[in-house]
Amino acid sequence: MKHPITNTRPPIFRSGLTTLLFATAASFATAPAAAADTAAWPTKPITLVVPFVAGGTTDIVARTLGQKLSEALKQPVIIDNRGGAGGTVGAGIASKAPPDGYTLFLATIAHAIAPGLYKRLPYDFQRDFAPVALVASTPNVLIVNEKVPAKTVAELVAYIRANPGKVNFGSAGNGSTEHISGELFRSMTHTDITHVPYKGGAPMMADLMGGQIQMAIETSPSASPHIRAGKVRALAVTTKARSPAYPGVPTLDEAGLKGYDMTTWFALMAPRGTPPELVQRLNAEVARALQQPDVAKRFEEQGVTAGQMKPAELATFIGSETTKWVKVAKDSGATAE
């Protein structure tokens, strides 16, 4: 008959005094170590989770910021692209990371939109993250491939109505800013266009230029090189005011979609419970990075505006954006399930 394997070593008995000494020593060893770790941070590489694949706007902003943070903090900042489900896959991964300052997350407006599109999410955007800093904001640009004959928004609307169900608009994924931008365009123009989700802006742009899809409302940094190269045509921007990067391109509001106004933003976040002193230091480092001439020049060329918010301001901003875009998403009838 076989017997279960048991630990045959005799148990260790401690007196009350011995137990107390062990507990006291442990508490003294733990508390100073935690404080020292925070004071010395960072002592190893930092991971920045980017919730879209490489090559898109979120990735471009993340790599620009990551390089400057790496220089300032004297540690590598590793970009970890975790695309999928309109940015919610990466958010779910980042939300469960240890709150020790070694995992950060670049959130976007898509994460304020997501609660209005998904019935269930593996995280709570406002509860599970500590806001660190608003990094940047940018308009989206309504673009079409060269085969689409439209050169104005009015001509595009006419073209779509003449070809119902045959015009596809691409996005970086269900729930992304491009998705809700397109749904808002569809609902305001009462047109029949079909959403085609991708895992990021880069593969979507490749298919747009290749003619597999006809239009997109893409973020400026991802679209601008292809607009300048003449590979896609810009018809309008999504913000209330025209973008300095495209001075001759009207806004959608000017083009007849009165009240259309969407600005894509990017915010650095940390898992909930990250020490406040690390959050404050990161906020200061981001502010310094965004003031550097090379960053300002790159952002200007791509139609990007650097962010300026303290953590508490960012928390309030995210709350108001979530309320606004959840309603827009629900009103549009769009879903991501």
Side-chain angles (χ1 to χ4, degrees), residues 52-54 71 105 151 166 169 177 186 191 211 263:
F52 296 99
V53 297
E71 293 169 3
F105 175 60
K151 291 184 173 58
K166 296 181 181 179
F169 78 94
T177 178
R186 179 188 59 76
T191 50
T263 300

Side-chain angles (χ1 to χ4, degrees), residues 10 128 130 133-134 209 213 229 244 252 277:
D128 294 338
L134 183 66
M209 290 184 289
I213 56 176
L252 279 167
E277 57 268 33

Side-chain angles (χ1 to χ4, degrees), residues 125-267:
F125 185 44
Q126 295 186 74
R127 183 196 65 201
D128 294 338
F129 289 100
V132 176
L134 183 66
V135 179
S137 61
T138 183
N140 291 358
V141 189
L142 171 58
I143 49 180
V144 296
N145 70 37
E146 291 180 307
K147 295 179 182 178
V148 175
K151 291 184 173 58
T152 66
V153 173
E155 289 177 359
L156 176 62
V157 171
Y159 175 76
I160 295 169
R161 287 176 177 160
N163 297 274
K166 296 181 181 179
V167 176
N168 300 318
F169 78 94
S171 81
N174 285 322
S176 64
T177 178
E178 298 94 336
H179 177 199
I180 201 66
S181 293
E183 294 292 354
L184 190 56
F185 177 90
R186 179 188 59 76
S187 65
M188 291 182 73
T189 57
H190 306 288
T191 50
D192 183 8
I193 54 177
T194 303
H195 176 223
V196 181
Y198 292 79
K199 286 190 175 180
M204 184 274 290
M205 285 298 303
D207 271 9
L208 178 65
M209 290 184 289
Q212 284 80 13
I213 56 176
Q214 289 71 46
M215 61 176 283
I217 304 183
E218 177 61 308
T219 47
S220 178
S222 179
S224 62
H226 309 296
I227 294 170
R228 291 192 176 95
K231 295 179 180 179
V232 294
R233 189 181 308 119
L235 304 186
V237 296
T238 61
T239 44
K240 269 292 182 70
R242 292 194 181 197
S243 169
Y246 316 99
V249 177
T251 68
L252 279 167
D253 182 84
E254 289 175 323
L257 276 67
K258 295 301 180 184
Y260 195 113
D261 183 18
M262 172 175 270
T263 300
T264 294
W265 48 262
F266 307 88

Side-chain angles (χ1 to χ4, degrees), residues 284-296 306 308:
E285 295 293 356
V286 170
R288 276 191 283 270
L290 297 179
Q291 291 170 4
Q292 294 187 29
D294 57 334
V295 174
Q308 292 181 342

